[in-house]
Short mmCIF file of all heavy atoms in Angstrom, two decimals:
data_model
loop_
_atom_site.label_atom_id
_atom_site.label_comp_id
_atom_site.label_asym_id
_atom_site.label_seq_id
_atom_site.Cartn_x
_atom_site.Cartn_y
_atom_site.Cartn_z
N SER A 602 -18.44 39.75 18.02
CA SER A 602 -19.10 39.90 16.72
C SER A 602 -19.27 38.60 15.96
O SER A 602 -20.07 38.53 15.02
CB SER A 602 -18.32 40.89 15.85
OG SER A 602 -17.00 40.44 15.65
N ASN A 605 -22.45 34.29 16.01
CA ASN A 605 -23.29 33.44 15.15
C ASN A 605 -22.56 32.19 14.69
O ASN A 605 -23.17 31.32 14.06
CB ASN A 605 -23.79 34.24 13.96
CG ASN A 605 -24.91 35.22 14.29
OD1 ASN A 605 -25.68 34.96 15.23
ND2 ASN A 605 -25.00 36.33 13.58
N THR A 617 -14.86 37.81 12.03
CA THR A 617 -15.76 38.23 10.96
C THR A 617 -15.11 39.30 10.07
O THR A 617 -14.12 39.90 10.46
CB THR A 617 -17.07 38.82 11.53
OG1 THR A 617 -16.70 39.99 12.30
CG2 THR A 617 -17.77 37.83 12.43
N ALA A 618 -15.68 39.50 8.90
CA ALA A 618 -15.21 40.58 8.02
C ALA A 618 -16.27 40.97 7.03
O ALA A 618 -17.04 40.12 6.55
CB ALA A 618 -13.93 40.17 7.29
N THR A 619 -16.34 42.27 6.72
CA THR A 619 -17.18 42.78 5.67
C THR A 619 -16.37 43.83 4.93
O THR A 619 -16.03 44.86 5.51
CB THR A 619 -18.47 43.44 6.21
OG1 THR A 619 -19.13 42.52 7.08
CG2 THR A 619 -19.41 43.84 5.06
N SER A 620 -16.03 43.56 3.69
CA SER A 620 -15.20 44.50 2.93
C SER A 620 -15.96 44.92 1.67
O SER A 620 -16.87 44.21 1.21
CB SER A 620 -13.86 43.91 2.56
OG SER A 620 -14.03 42.68 1.84
N ILE A 631 -18.07 42.04 0.10
CA ILE A 631 -17.61 40.67 0.31
C ILE A 631 -17.76 40.37 1.81
O ILE A 631 -17.19 41.07 2.66
CB ILE A 631 -16.13 40.49 -0.12
CG1 ILE A 631 -15.98 40.68 -1.63
CG2 ILE A 631 -15.63 39.09 0.29
CD1 ILE A 631 -14.54 40.59 -2.11
N SER A 632 -18.58 39.37 2.11
CA SER A 632 -18.82 38.97 3.48
C SER A 632 -18.00 37.70 3.75
O SER A 632 -18.02 36.77 2.97
CB SER A 632 -20.29 38.66 3.73
OG SER A 632 -21.08 39.77 3.34
N SER A 633 -17.27 37.70 4.89
CA SER A 633 -16.44 36.54 5.16
C SER A 633 -16.34 36.24 6.64
O SER A 633 -16.65 37.08 7.51
CB SER A 633 -15.03 36.74 4.57
OG SER A 633 -14.41 37.89 5.15
N PHE A 634 -15.92 35.00 6.90
CA PHE A 634 -15.67 34.59 8.28
C PHE A 634 -14.57 33.56 8.26
O PHE A 634 -14.55 32.63 7.43
CB PHE A 634 -16.93 33.99 8.91
CG PHE A 634 -16.71 33.59 10.37
CD1 PHE A 634 -16.83 34.52 11.37
CD2 PHE A 634 -16.38 32.28 10.69
CE1 PHE A 634 -16.60 34.16 12.70
CE2 PHE A 634 -16.17 31.91 12.02
CZ PHE A 634 -16.28 32.86 13.03
N ILE A 651 -18.27 35.14 0.81
CA ILE A 651 -19.48 35.32 0.02
C ILE A 651 -19.34 36.59 -0.79
O ILE A 651 -19.26 37.69 -0.24
CB ILE A 651 -20.72 35.36 0.92
CG1 ILE A 651 -20.77 34.13 1.82
CG2 ILE A 651 -21.98 35.47 0.09
CD1 ILE A 651 -21.82 34.20 2.91
N VAL A 657 -28.87 41.82 3.39
CA VAL A 657 -27.93 41.93 4.50
C VAL A 657 -26.58 41.33 4.09
O VAL A 657 -26.54 40.21 3.54
CB VAL A 657 -28.48 41.22 5.76
CG1 VAL A 657 -27.42 41.25 6.88
CG2 VAL A 657 -29.77 41.82 6.22
N TYR A 658 -25.52 42.07 4.29
CA TYR A 658 -24.22 41.62 3.79
C TYR A 658 -23.15 41.52 4.85
O TYR A 658 -21.96 41.30 4.53
CB TYR A 658 -23.75 42.55 2.66
CG TYR A 658 -23.72 44.01 3.05
CD1 TYR A 658 -22.67 44.54 3.78
CD2 TYR A 658 -24.75 44.86 2.67
CE1 TYR A 658 -22.64 45.88 4.14
CE2 TYR A 658 -24.76 46.20 3.00
CZ TYR A 658 -23.69 46.71 3.73
OH TYR A 658 -23.65 48.04 4.09
N TYR A 659 -23.47 41.66 6.10
CA TYR A 659 -22.44 41.65 7.15
C TYR A 659 -21.93 40.22 7.37
O TYR A 659 -22.71 39.26 7.49
CB TYR A 659 -23.00 42.20 8.47
CG TYR A 659 -23.38 43.66 8.37
CD1 TYR A 659 -24.74 44.05 8.45
CD2 TYR A 659 -22.41 44.63 8.18
CE1 TYR A 659 -25.08 45.41 8.34
CE2 TYR A 659 -22.75 45.98 8.06
CZ TYR A 659 -24.08 46.35 8.13
OH TYR A 659 -24.42 47.68 8.03
N GLY A 660 -20.59 40.12 7.48
CA GLY A 660 -19.98 38.80 7.61
C GLY A 660 -20.43 38.03 8.83
O GLY A 660 -20.65 36.83 8.81
N GLY A 661 -20.61 38.78 9.97
CA GLY A 661 -21.04 38.15 11.18
C GLY A 661 -22.45 37.63 11.11
O GLY A 661 -22.84 36.71 11.83
N THR A 662 -23.26 38.19 10.21
CA THR A 662 -24.66 37.82 10.08
C THR A 662 -24.86 36.67 9.10
O THR A 662 -25.67 35.76 9.38
CB THR A 662 -25.51 39.02 9.64
OG1 THR A 662 -25.30 40.10 10.56
CG2 THR A 662 -26.99 38.67 9.57
N ILE A 663 -24.15 36.68 7.96
CA ILE A 663 -24.41 35.65 6.94
C ILE A 663 -23.31 34.64 6.75
O ILE A 663 -23.55 33.50 6.32
CB ILE A 663 -24.79 36.33 5.59
CG1 ILE A 663 -23.58 37.08 5.02
CG2 ILE A 663 -25.99 37.21 5.75
CD1 ILE A 663 -23.83 37.62 3.60
N ALA A 664 -22.04 35.02 7.01
CA ALA A 664 -20.94 34.07 6.81
C ALA A 664 -20.66 33.24 8.05
O ALA A 664 -20.35 32.05 7.95
CB ALA A 664 -19.67 34.84 6.39
N ALA A 665 -20.75 33.83 9.22
CA ALA A 665 -20.50 33.09 10.46
C ALA A 665 -21.43 31.90 10.62
O ALA A 665 -20.96 30.81 11.03
CB ALA A 665 -20.61 34.04 11.65
N PRO A 666 -22.73 32.01 10.34
CA PRO A 666 -23.60 30.83 10.46
C PRO A 666 -23.21 29.68 9.53
O PRO A 666 -23.44 28.51 9.84
CB PRO A 666 -24.99 31.38 10.11
CG PRO A 666 -24.91 32.86 10.40
CD PRO A 666 -23.51 33.23 10.06
#
Side-chain angles (χ1 to χ4, degrees):
S602 59
N605 285 330
T617 61
T619 307
S620 56
I631 296 177
S632 305
S633 60
F634 182 83
I651 305 170
V657 177
Y658 54 80
Y659 296 113
T662 304
I663 66 172

